[in-house]
Structure formats: structure tokens, C-alpha cells
Amino acid sequence: VILGGGVDQFNARTTNNSGDTRNLVDELIAAGFAYTSNRTALNALPGGAATPDKLFGLFRTSHMNVAYDKLGFTSPRPTNQHRPLADSTISRSSKR
Amino acid sequence: MTEKAIATLSKGGGPFVLMVEGASIDKQSHPNHAAGVIWDVIEFDKSIAVGRKFGASNSSAKNGQTLVLVTADHDQSMSIVGLSDVQNSRTVLNTRSISVYPLRNGNVFRAAYTNYATVAPSNAGNNTGEVSGFPDYVDGNGDGYPENTNRFRITVGFRTGNHTGSSVPITAEGPGAILFTGYQDQTDICWKMAKILSSNTAPLDELLKQTSKFSIVNQNY
């Protein structure tokens, strides 16, 4: 099982960066891995006896989204009433 | 992702090793983004729950045969240094129970994560820190993440925005877990895992069972 980000390292390889121009996504699929590239496809994978034997999913070209962004939070804004000592306190009233 | 990974690896009932990394905790620590760090810790916590659920699952043929280890590869310079009071933002309160927190609406103190039943104040008007269940955030909308709109909020301090050499915790649950008790070299973890995989852990697990019978009474200090 391989799940995460960094698809660029698999299918956008350059001689300069990776030393070769192989397409590892295609190679892994050819090697019998089930491939998913988004949450919907991952969740739609069959279960039980039809569960894939080998699974890899790459969901971002680089890093995965951090939770704070994924959940749609915005950075705290200081007010007169609440002046953070630094950009330091959790401050959030509602989820977008 | 953790669920799907376990479903794939556990298919057929063979042994497996799965490594799940809460990679963005570190990523949010480097810019000293406190809220982001904490939210990604919660994300990681959810993944741990999935692993523990598999380990404890009664329907699993591997019940009692799953070792769940949780640790970190390093610390970051940011740490929680106290609480800030939104009504007096120039103060940083001690998180220890010596500090006195005023009562609000009679039921301000609640446990995190769940829609926990209201904790009845034992000493109205003089609830003290962690003894009364502080922090007081709640998950009102049931999305699994606490809202924090209350008077007291976490205050953090940081220095470098970089890794430190501080010790990190490790927790263990399952066969051979007792081997991970106490202070140890990080590089020993893989050898201990190898030992557990290649030996009968029943005597170790019995030892842990016996030790856990010793409990500290009235641990309230």
C-alpha cells in the first residue's frame, strides 16, 4: 500500500530531478496495483473479497493539504478584545 | 486513507506492517502556525483511532495480535505555555490547577471531542484548572473537531521554527507493548518490533497484565 501526495515524483520525472523519465504510475498499474487519485475513487474501492490486493493512491502533485486548509479555516484575526501574544492562539468561531 | 490501507493489507489475514505519518504536523510547525499544528494532530489522532479500532476489533481474526505504536521522529520548538484570557489578553495563565477559573453559565467546563455530559462544578465559582476538566472546548456541531470560542484559549511560545533535540513520547498497545515502557533510544524501536514479530510475547503480555493491576488511588494532585 502506498497512499499520499507527490504524484510528480511518479509520473512527471525528469532526468535532472530523478535521474530518469520513467512513468512509475503506469509501471505500478502494470505491476497489478489498483490506482486512485482522489477521495471519491478511494472510497469507492470495493471491499470484502473484491478488496484490491495492492493499492496505491496519489492525491496531490506535491504535499497533501494540511488539515487547517482542508477544513476551510481562516487565520485568526486580532481584535481589541483579544490580542494574541503572537500569531499564536487558536481562534475560530465557525467552520466554513 | 488509513481504513483503506488496513483493508487492503489485512485482506487474507496475513501479517503486515503499516506506517501512517501525520506529515503535516511538522509542516505546520515550521511556520509556527499553532492552530494548524493542533488541527493536524487531531487528524493524526483520527488515524490512530482507526488503527486501534482494527487492533481491538472483535470481528477481526487478528484480535489481540495487532501492536499499535504511536510516536514522533522529533520535537518542534513550539510548545503550549499557558492560556490566554480574551478579557485580559496581556496575561498568560498557568495551565496547572493552582489557577482559578471563573464559572460561566454554570456549565462551562466540558470534555473535548465528544458531546460530553455537563460536568457538575464541585465548587461553584472556584473551578480549578485541569481538575475540573479544563480546557473547556466542545464539539457542538459534531464534526469531530472542537470549537474554541470560549474565554480561555491556548497560548503557545516558540523560538526557532525548527526541530529540537527534545525527547518525544511513544505509546504502545498490543502484543509486546511493555517493551516500549520508559526511556529508550529511538533507534531501538525497530529492533523491539523485530523481536516481537519473531518471538512469543505471551510472557511479556502477562507481565503487563499483572503490572496494570497496581493502580494509584485518588490520583488527584
Side-chain angles (χ1 to χ4, degrees):
Chain A
V1 168
I2 306 170
L3 296 173
V7 71
D8 275 358
Q9 308 299 319
F10 287 74
N11 69 2
R13 298 164 70 86
T14 64
T15 310
N16 276 348
N17 291 338
S18 309
D20 63 62
T21 56
R22 294 163 63 187
N23 185 326
L24 298 181
V25 171
D26 288 347
E27 289 186 26
L28 284 166
I29 291 170
F33 279 80
Y35 178 57
T36 61
S37 60
N38 60 63
R39 181 188 178 86
T40 309
L42 181 69
N43 286 332
L45 286 172
T51 304
D53 293 319
K54 302 174 186 174
L55 169 64
F56 89 112
L58 302 173
F59 306 99
R60 283 288 181 270
T61 53
S62 181
H63 295 303
M64 297 291 281
N65 285 12
V66 299
Y68 198 79
D69 294 338
K70 189 179 79 176
L71 295 164
F73 298 150
T74 52
S75 293
R77 285 182 178 74
T79 64
N80 287 335
Q81 189 189 40
H82 174 224
R83 184 184 66 85
L85 299 172
D87 181 15
S88 58
T89 46
I90 297 178
S91 174
R92 172 173 88 87
S93 55
S94 63
K95 184 180 160 185
R96 293 261 170 103
Chain B
M1 285 168 71
T2 307
E3 277 171 12
K4 291 294 180 182
I6 290 176
T8 305
L9 293 169
S10 64
K11 185 187 177 188
F16 67 89
V17 174
L18 171 65
M19 198 282 285
V20 179
E21 182 183 15
S24 298
I25 300 168
D26 176 67
K27 208 167 292 158
Q28 293 286 54
S29 294
H30 281 293
N32 291 314
H33 185 201
V37 172
I38 290 166
W39 252 256
D40 263 299
V41 168
I42 294 171
E43 287 277 284
F44 187 44
D45 193 40
K46 287 168 171 253
S47 281
I48 294 166
V50 173
R52 293 186 67 200
K53 192 176 167 189
F54 174 77
S57 168
N58 288 324
S59 62
S60 167
K62 295 293 168 188
N63 182 30
Q65 297 183 40
T66 304
L67 174 64
V68 181
L69 296 173
V70 183
T71 189
D73 54 347
H74 60 79
D75 182 38
Q76 281 272 4
S77 80
M78 188 164 62
S79 55
I80 295 169
V81 296
L83 301 167
S84 72
D85 179 349
V86 297
Q87 296 177 12
N88 184 8
S89 64
R90 290 177 183 277
T91 62
V92 177
L93 303 174
N94 196 330
T95 53
R96 274 288 294 182
S97 56
I98 316 160
S99 305
V100 175
Y101 302 107
L103 192 67
R104 189 178 66 186
N105 300 331
N107 62 356
V108 70
F109 296 106
R110 291 165 186 262
Y113 288 100
T114 56
N115 297 312
Y116 216 75
T118 301
V119 178
S122 57
N123 183 10
N126 284 300
N127 288 291
T128 55
E130 60 195 9
V131 174
S132 301
F134 201 86
D136 59 348
Y137 35 69
V138 293
D139 178 18
N141 59 12
D143 66 352
Y145 298 87
E147 287 79 52
N148 189 345
T149 55
N150 303 314
R151 179 175 167 186
F152 296 103
R153 299 177 184 182
I154 293 170
T155 301
V156 303
F158 53 81
R159 189 68 186 176
T160 61
N162 222 321
H163 304 180
T164 74
S166 299
S167 299
V168 294
I170 180 167
T171 64
E173 186 175 64
I178 201 172
L179 287 183
F180 298 92
T181 305
Y183 213 79
Q184 60 209 288
D185 280 350
Q186 206 166 33
T187 45
D188 279 354
I189 293 171
C190 74
W191 305 118
K192 291 179 181 183
M193 288 169 68
K195 184 68 180 174
I196 288 166
L197 284 169
S198 62
S199 59
N200 177 13
T201 61
L204 287 173
D205 298 335
E206 179 60 24
L207 185 61
L208 185 61
K209 203 172 152 189
Q210 294 301 326
T211 7
S212 64
K213 287 180 181 170
F214 296 100
S215 59
I216 299 171
V217 181
N218 285 333
Q219 188 178 9
N220 188 4
Y221 47 82

